[in-house]
Amino acid sequence: MGSMKLSSKPDAFTRRGQAWYCTTGLPSDVLVEVGEMSFHLHKFPLLSKSAILGRLIEENSDSDECVIKLSDIPGGAKSFELVARFCYGLKIELSSENVVYLRCAAEHLEMTEETSGDNLINQTESFFNQVVLRSWKDSLEALRTCDGLLPHAEDLHIVKRCIESLAGKASIDPDLFGWPVSEHSTMQSPGGSVLWNGISTGAKVRNCSSDWWYDDASSLSFPTYKRLISSMESRGIKQEIIAGSLTYYAKKFLPGLNRRQSTGPMPLPAATLSDEEQRRLLEEIDRMLPLQRGLISTNVLLWLLRTAMILKVDRACISNLEKRVGMQLDEATLEDLLLPNFSYTMDTLYNVECVHRILDHFLAMDQTMGGGGASPCLDDVMASPSLAPITAVAKLIDGYLAEIAPDINLKPLKFQSLAAALPEYARPLDDGLYRAIDVYLKSHPTLPEAEREQLCRLIDCQKLSLEACTHAAQNERLPLRVVVQVLFFEQLQLRTSVAGCLLVSDNLEASSRTLRGGGAVAASGEAGCWATAAVRENQALRVGMDSMRLRLMELERECSDMRQDIRKLGRGRRRLRGGGGIVAGGKDGGGWAARVQRMLTPRMMKLQMCSAQHDAAEQQRMNNEHKKVEKVAKNKKQLSMDDGDDKEEA
C-alpha cells in the first residue's frame, strides 16, 4: 500500500488514560474535548492551521480556561489526533487507511490554503488522487473506511471516486494484457517472465481469470457493493461475471450456501448476520441477478430457494427463484430438487407444490421455445437435440416421484398431478414412471382399487421395456386389468419378433435357391458342397420356425382361455351381487382374487418359459445367419476367381 510522510519531527504526544498531552516544555493553554477524549494543547499551532479552531479559540479568549468541544468532527478522537499532530508539524504518515479520516476532518475544520500554505486539505487531496485512486488495494481500503464517515465522505465525492476507480479496474479484461490492472500481478517481460528492476527473473506469472476481484468486493458493505456492481454494469461488463460475483457474495453471507460450496479451494467463512439482515440481503441479490439462463448453476439457485424458504422471504422473491430454476430444470440433480417442507400447515415431507410450480415454468418455457406441438414419435425423441432437455426433466421427475412416494401423507391426487404434468412425448420409456407408481402402491397398501387403477392409467404399457413387462406381469400390487394389458402387449411384441424372424428366413431361402440355380455354382465342386450344406441349414431353420409358430399358437390359445376365465369370473361375481350373496364383500373379493391368481400363475409361467425359449432361439438364429452371410461372401469371391482362371485358360 502507498504511503507518504508529512513531517520528520519526533513524536511529542503522550497519552495518559483518556487524555493526550503535548510534551514541548510549555504549559498547555487550550483544552479540546472530542467525545470522551481530552487534548491538552496550545493555541497558536491550532489557529495557524484551522480557521474553525481559530474562531473557537477567539470566542473563548475571555474565559480563564479555554475549552473547546468538538463533538461532530468526522472520525472523532482518532481523526483529531492526526489533525493535532499535523498542526504541530510532527511525524505523520498518510495511508489509504487514514487519508479519508484526515480529508473529512480537514474539510470540517476548514484547513484551507487561505489559512496556511500547503495545508492539510491540499496534501490529503493530492495523496488521494495520485496514490490511492491508482491502486486497487488502496482504493478498496479507502472505500471501506468511508462507511464510518458518511455523509461527509459522500459530500466530498470520495465514495464515488473510489467506486469508479474500482469499477474501471475490474471491468478491464485481464486477457487483453495477460495480467489484471491491479496489485494481484507483477510486471512481466514479453517472454512471460517476471521483471525485477527491469531484469527478467525467469519466474512465470500465474494466469488470472475474470473473478480475481470477487473476494475483495465481498469485503464491502452491501450498499457500497451494490453501487460498485451498478457502476460495472454501466461499463458493459459481462452478465455472467456479475452473476458470479453476486453468487460469491451470497455464499459468504448466507450460511446455508456454504454447505454446497463447489468452487474455490476451501469454504468461505460465513459472516455473522441476523435473520432479518440475511432476508433483506437475499431479496436484494434476487433483484440484482439477471434473468437469463445459465448464468448461475442450478444447484446454487435451488439452494438460494431453500434458504429463502427458511428465512421466509417475500413471496415475490421465492416466485422469481422458482422461475430461474424452471428455466434450467434440465440441469438440476435429484438431490438438490428434494426441497424440505418448512411450512407447519403442510404435512408432506417434501415441498411437492414448489417442484410442481418449477416444472410448470419449465414447460411454459419449452412451449415458448418451440418444444410444443404434435407429439413426436419415439425415434424423433431419441434423436432430436431439442427434445433432450424435456426428456432429461422427465427422467428427473420420475426419480423425484420415486423418492417422495414412500411419504405416507402424500395424497394420490398430488402424486398423480405431478406425474401427469409432463407431455406424453417427454418419456421415451415409462420404466421410471412404473417404478415410481410401484413404490407408491407398496407404501400405501390400503389404497382403494379405484385409485390404484387411476394411478396405473398413467402408464403406457407399450412403452415398457421387456424387464419392466416381466416385473409387471408378476406384480401383485397392480390391478388385474393392468396385468392383462401388459401380457397382451408383450404377446404383440413376441408376434412382431417372430414375424421378423420368418421374413429373414424366407429371404435367406430365396437367396440359396438363386445360388443353386446358377451355372457358376455348379461349375465349382466346393461351391456345390457349400450350397448343399446351406440348404440343410435352411431346412433345419425352417423346422425351428415351424415349432416357433406352434408355440405362438399355443400362446394365443392361452391368452384366449385367460380372457374367457376372466369373463366367467366377472359374470359369476355379478350374479352373487345381484342375488344378494350372503358372503361378505371383503371375503368374497379376496377369494375371487385368489382364484384368479391360481389360474393365472401356471399360464404366466408358461408365457415366461416360452419367452425365454424364444430369446434363445432368436440368439441362435442370429449367429447362424451371420455365419451364412460370411460363407456367401467367401463363396462369391472364390467363384469370381475361378471364372477368371477359366477365361485365361480359354
Side-chain angles (χ1 to χ4, degrees), residues 406-445:
D407 187 358
I408 196 64
N409 295 320
L410 181 61
K411 303 300 181 185
L413 184 60
K414 187 179 295 185
F415 182 91
Q416 180 181 353
S417 177
L418 181 59
L422 286 163
E424 182 182 356
Y425 63 87
R427 293 185 176 96
L429 291 174
D430 274 9
D431 288 13
L433 180 60
Y434 166 69
R435 173 177 173 268
I437 292 177
D438 184 46
V439 173
Y440 188 84
L441 295 179
K442 183 178 180 181
S443 303
H444 300 76

Side-chain angles (χ1 to χ4, degrees), residues 58 116-117 163 197 218 330 466 476 482 523 530 552 562 640:
E58 184 178 357
S116 174
I163 288 176
N197 289 342
S218 67
D330 54 303
L466 183 59
E476 298 178 355
V482 179
W530 178 89
L552 181 59
M562 189 186 303
S640 62

Side-chain angles (χ1 to χ4, degrees), residues 75 192 303 334 414 431 641 649:
W303 273 84
L334 178 58
K414 187 179 295 185
D431 288 13
M641 294 175 61
E649 292 177 0

Side-chain angles (χ1 to χ4, degrees), residues 36-324:
E36 297 180 355
M37 192 66 68
S38 300
F39 294 85
H40 298 269
L41 307 174
H42 302 86
K43 294 180 181 179
F44 180 74
L46 299 180
L47 60 85
S48 64
K49 295 292 185 179
S50 170
I52 292 294
L53 291 176
R55 287 197 295 269
L56 292 175
I57 291 173
E58 184 178 357
E59 292 174 0
N60 291 272
S61 59
D62 297 336
S63 60
D64 296 336
E65 184 179 4
C66 184
V67 179
I68 300 175
K69 293 186 178 183
L70 297 176
S71 58
D72 55 350
I73 182 172
K78 179 181 178 180
S79 296
F80 187 77
E81 178 194 346
L82 297 174
V83 170
R85 292 176 183 274
F86 175 79
C87 292
Y88 278 86
L90 301 178
K91 181 172 63 175
I92 182 175
E93 186 173 353
L94 284 178
S95 66
S96 58
E97 297 178 354
N98 60 24
V99 65
V100 182
Y101 285 96
L102 282 171
R103 178 66 183 87
C104 294
E107 187 72 25
H108 180 76
L109 297 175
E110 297 182 9
M111 303 177 73
T112 61
E113 296 299 302
E114 289 78 5
T115 305
S116 174
D118 202 15
N119 211 344
L120 187 58
I121 290 179
N122 184 43
Q123 295 207 38
T124 53
E125 190 69 27
S126 299
F127 178 79
F128 184 78
N129 292 328
Q130 298 176 11
V131 178
V132 174
L133 294 182
R134 294 185 178 182
S135 166
W136 169 270
K137 287 187 176 180
D138 290 341
S139 299
L140 186 69
E141 184 63 34
L143 186 58
R144 289 196 197 102
T145 61
C146 291
D147 290 337
L149 296 170
L150 298 175
H152 305 282
E154 196 70 64
D155 295 337
L156 296 175
H157 305 290
I158 296 176
V159 177
K160 180 180 179 181
R161 286 184 286 173
C162 287
I163 288 176
E164 290 179 350
S165 173
L166 294 173
K169 292 178 175 61
S171 300
I172 296 177
D173 189 354
D175 294 336
L176 297 177
F177 305 98
W179 49 279
V181 187
S182 67
E183 288 72 29
H184 290 262
S185 179
T186 53
M187 295 294 292
Q188 67 182 71
S189 66
S193 60
V194 178
L195 295 179
W196 178 78
N197 289 342
I199 303 174
S200 176
T201 63
K204 299 292 184 179
V205 297
R206 293 180 298 176
N207 293 330
C208 186
S209 59
S210 57
D211 61 352
W212 59 269
W213 54 273
Y214 285 2
D215 187 57
D216 289 337
S218 67
S219 64
L220 299 172
S221 63
F222 189 75
T224 306
Y225 171 80
K226 185 177 179 180
R227 291 180 59 180
L228 175 63
I229 295 298
S230 177
S231 179
M232 290 181 180
E233 287 180 329
S234 65
R235 292 174 179 266
I237 195 169
K238 296 179 181 178
Q239 292 293 326
E240 52 266 27
I241 299 178
I242 296 295
S245 177
L246 288 168
T247 303
Y248 194 98
Y249 199 95
K251 288 179 179 179
K252 186 172 183 178
F253 289 95
L254 297 175
L257 297 178
N258 288 334
R259 294 173 56 192
R260 298 306 300 267
Q261 176 71 19
S262 57
T263 58
M266 59 185 302
L268 298 171
T272 303
L273 293 178
S274 65
D275 289 349
E276 181 61 30
E277 290 173 335
Q278 293 184 41
R279 189 180 301 114
R280 289 199 300 267
L281 174 62
L282 184 53
E283 291 173 354
E284 287 289 339
I285 288 178
D286 172 67
R287 282 191 282 268
M288 295 174 65
L289 280 174
L291 190 61
Q292 184 177 338
R293 174 185 167 92
L295 294 181
I296 300 180
S297 62
T298 310
N299 68 326
V300 172
L301 286 174
L302 282 167
W303 273 84
L304 281 173
L305 179 58
R306 182 189 300 255
T307 306
M309 293 176 179
I310 296 174
L311 296 174
K312 294 181 174 57
V313 301
D314 183 71
R315 180 59 202 167
C317 176
I318 293 180
S319 179
N320 287 337
L321 290 173
E322 290 174 350
K323 290 179 181 177
R324 296 181 192 277

Side-chain angles (χ1 to χ4, degrees), residues 508 530 534 537-539 541 623-633:
L508 286 175
W530 178 89
E537 290 179 1
N538 260 343
Q539 290 175 351
L541 184 60
N623 293 337
N624 293 336
E625 289 178 3
H626 183 68
K627 292 178 181 179
K628 290 177 184 178
V629 171
E630 290 181 350
K631 288 181 180 180
V632 169

